[in-house]
Amino acid sequence: IIIILLANMVTAGVKDGAGSDTLGPEATAKRSAPVARLALVEGGLEVSEAHDGPSGIAAFHQHNPDLVLLDIGLGSMDGFEVCRRIRSSSTCPIVFLTSRVDDIDQLVGFAAGADDYVGKPFSPRVLTARVHAVLRRENRGNLDDSTSHVLEVDPLRVDLAARHATAKDITLDLTRTEFDLLVALMERPRQVLSREQLLESVWGSTFYDGHVVEVHMSRLRGKVLAAAGITIGVAVRSVGYRLGLG
C-alpha cells in the first residue's frame, strides 16, 4: 500500500506517542512529517512523501496510491486544489491532515472530495488508526461482479457494484462517503440509526466525532433534494437519522 504524504513542515503539529503532551513549536515543525511517516510505516504501510501541490500530484500519478494524506497549507496550490485535481480523475481516498478544522474548512474539504479529516496536533496512533479505517472502508466498497446487488426504496435506487445511485431515475453525483451513507439508510429504511451506528457502518469505527455524520448527511440531503426534490436523512432529535421516505 502506498500512501502519498503531503505535509506542511511549517504549520505541522504532533502529539507524543502516548497521544497526550503536545511538542513545542520548533519540534512540531521539524518532526510532523517524519513522525507521521514513521507511524504509517510502523503500521505496515508503504509511504511516498511530497511537500507541495505540484510534486504531490506528480507523485500521485506516478505511484497510483491507495490513499492520499493531504495537508491544506501547501503554498500557492493549497490542499483543497490538490484534492479537486485528484478527485477529477480518481476515487482514491483522501484524508486531510490539518490544524484548520473549523466547520467552513471541513465543508470546503468535503466539497472538494475529501473522505476524512485528522486534526493537528495529532497522535501518531490516532493517525494510523484513522488511515486504516478509511482503507477498510475502501476495501469493503470494492465489490466484484459476483457480489452485484441493487437496493431500491422508491424513488431511490442504488447499484452497489457500480456504486451508482439515482433518485427518480436522476443520477446522483455523490462522494464515496455520501454514497455509503445513503446505502446505510436504505438498508434499514424504517429504522432510526444512531450516529454511532452510522459511524460504524460508514466509517468502520465509532472513534470519529459524531459531527462528521452531520456534515456528510447535510451534503447528501442537499444533493438529493436538488436533483429530485425529495428530502431524506431526517434527523430524529437526540437519537440519529432515518431515511425519511414514506
Side-chain angles (χ1 to χ4, degrees):
I1 297 174
I2 298 176
I3 307 295
I4 303 298
L5 176 62
L6 304 181
N8 185 331
M9 297 295 289
V10 177
T11 62
V14 182
K15 288 187 178 182
D16 66 15
S20 55
D21 296 333
T22 304
L23 301 174
E26 293 185 4
T28 60
K30 293 178 180 178
R31 293 185 58 186
S32 177
V35 169
R37 181 187 183 100
L38 179 61
L40 296 175
V41 169
E42 289 183 342
L45 304 174
E46 181 181 349
V47 178
S48 178
E49 192 171 337
H51 295 290
D52 60 62
S55 64
I57 291 175
F60 174 82
H61 290 297
Q62 177 184 353
H63 296 292
N64 188 27
D66 295 288
L67 182 144
V68 175
L69 183 63
L70 179 61
D71 202 348
I72 292 178
L74 294 171
S76 58
M77 183 187 296
D78 66 14
F80 295 136
E81 180 60 25
V82 173
C83 183
R84 293 186 192 99
R85 295 194 184 194
I86 291 174
R87 189 56 75 230
S88 68
S89 61
S90 173
T91 60
C92 172
I94 297 174
V95 176
F96 274 117
L97 175 63
T98 178
S99 57
R100 295 165 57 178
V101 291
D102 292 338
D103 287 352
I104 185 64
D105 287 318
Q106 290 194 31
L107 289 172
V108 173
F110 289 137
D115 294 280
D116 195 14
Y117 266 81
V118 176
K120 294 188 291 189
F122 64 88
S123 159
R125 289 188 300 180
V126 169
L127 174 63
T128 303
R130 295 282 281 270
V131 166
H132 276 295
V134 173
L135 288 172
R136 284 195 299 271
R137 287 170 51 202
E138 174 69 3
N139 291 334
R140 194 170 63 232
N142 289 333
L143 302 175
D144 58 31
D145 291 339
S146 65
T147 58
S148 180
H149 183 52
V150 173
L151 290 176
E152 290 191 72
V153 182
D154 192 50
L156 300 171
R157 185 178 188 275
V158 166
D159 185 324
L160 297 176
R163 294 190 70 81
H164 181 256
T166 60
K168 294 184 177 179
D169 296 324
I170 300 170
T171 296
L172 300 173
D173 182 17
L174 305 179
T175 66
R176 176 188 296 98
T177 302
E178 291 161 359
F179 181 90
D180 291 343
L181 196 55
L182 178 60
V183 169
L185 293 173
M186 290 179 63
E187 285 179 332
R188 289 170 281 185
R190 300 183 184 279
Q191 184 177 340
V192 177
L193 301 178
S194 69
R195 288 172 177 79
E196 290 73 22
Q197 286 176 302
L198 290 170
L199 285 171
E200 183 63 41
S201 176
V202 177
W203 283 267
S205 171
T206 59
F207 184 80
Y208 295 84
D209 184 342
H211 180 62
V212 73
V213 176
E214 297 173 10
V215 172
H216 284 286
M217 187 68 75
S218 176
R219 289 188 53 77
L220 171 62
R221 186 187 300 116
K223 288 184 178 182
V224 175
L225 182 62
I230 58 176
T231 300
I232 66 168
V234 176
V236 179
R237 188 179 179 90
S238 301
V239 180
Y241 296 91
R242 59 183 176 86
L243 183 60
L245 297 175

